[in-house]
Amino acid sequence: MFKSMSVETKTAAELAVMAEAGRLLAEVHAELAKAVAPGVTTAELDAVAAAGIKARKAKAAFIGYRGFPATLCVSVNAEVVHGIPSKTRVLAEGDIVGLDLGLIWKGFYADSAVTHPVGKVSPAARKLIAATSAALEAGLAEAVAGRRIGDIGEAVQTVAEKAGYSVVREFVGHGIGRALHEDPPVPNYGKAGTGLRLAPGMVLAIEPMVNAGGPDVRVLSDGWTAVTSDGALSAHFEHTVAVTEDGPRVLTRLG
Ligand code: MG
Ligand code: MG
């Protein structure tokens, strides 16, 4: 089943560069976190991301990728992923906003996403954000040599579904390295003990998209923005993680 896949493992030197990339990306995300507030437009957040990447002499990964028109994917409320920043989309108190960002540093990609509350949000929104973040953490904990891709998927899915939510099937995580999207695909659902066996040097972007309602999504007429079919809230978290001899090494986290 996996014969057609070419899963690259990275050398220690390559992982060191990817860790630099991840660190830079985490720094830009920290700047974005400070910029999220009621009254801010999604285009202003895109500008913060672009300036943060430029200041670090890195390169934005998403702009131009299959024609994506911006640096940052900004997905508000029922938007799941791939929202396009806009000067007319103003964040309001009570919104939740998913920020997905990638950059290139010395030829290697880093990719991570976080969903922020905008001002004070409902308990339901807070719970969804917390559960999605917890689902990501459960997935990251399975990025261990000898375990399988299905271990990650089942861990993510279990946390999300135990909280009463559903995981999106149409979009999945991915290997990452000299390309943004490498093998293997990393679904946010699955069966433990199945799928590709993880080995040291593999680097994965694990990225649960968790819906408060059903799992179905559709893409808007802009060709990019994915929204929940039932209009319910959705949250998205992502980290780039290396499988190492010493366990999971999350590259896109500060400290
Ligand atoms: Mg991403
Ligand atoms: Mg990704």
Side-chain angles (χ1 to χ4, degrees), residues 111 174 181 205 207 238:
D111 187 8
H174 48 92
H181 295 129
E207 51 176 314
E238 178 179 29

Side-chain angles (χ1 to χ4, degrees), residues 23-171:
R23 167 88 195 181
L24 297 176
L25 181 55
E27 290 174 4
V28 180
H29 263 298
E31 294 179 357
L32 283 165
K34 288 184 193 155
V36 170
V40 171
T41 70
T42 58
E44 286 169 333
L45 295 178
D46 184 63
V48 169
I53 289 174
K54 191 175 176 201
R56 288 166 179 82
K57 301 187 180 352
K59 196 167 169 291
F62 296 169
I63 190 161
Y65 183 84
R66 295 185 185 169
F68 189 76
T71 297
L72 183 68
C73 293
V74 187
S75 305
V76 183
N77 295 337
E79 295 170 359
V80 178
V81 285
H82 305 159
I84 299 173
S86 161
K87 288 176 180 162
T88 59
R89 187 70 186 264
V90 183
L91 295 180
E93 180 101 20
D95 285 343
I96 65 171
V97 61
L99 305 178
D100 189 358
L101 184 64
L103 60 71
I104 310 165
W105 172 252
K106 297 180 180 171
F108 285 91
Y109 284 76
D111 187 8
S112 69
V114 56
T115 298
H116 294 287
V118 180
K120 189 169 163 45
V121 304
S122 70
R126 267 206 310 277
K127 182 174 168 254
L128 175 67
I129 289 173
T132 309
S133 176
L136 172 58
E137 293 303 321
L140 293 170
E142 296 297 324
V144 171
R147 295 193 196 164
R148 293 176 181 268
I149 286 291
D151 294 333
I152 295 173
E154 182 173 304
V156 169
Q157 181 178 13
T158 298
V159 170
E161 292 184 352
K162 276 194 173 157
Y165 304 129
S166 58
V167 296
V168 170
R169 306 302 205 269
E170 279 87 343
F171 303 101

Side-chain angles (χ1 to χ4, degrees), residues 12 15-16 18-20 140 143 203-204 240-244 246-253:
L15 284 183
M18 291 195 75
E20 291 175 11
L140 293 170
V203 184
L204 307 174
T240 298
V241 59
V243 178
T244 79
D246 305 319
R249 181 181 176 196
V250 180
L251 303 180
T252 43
R253 191 135 61 192

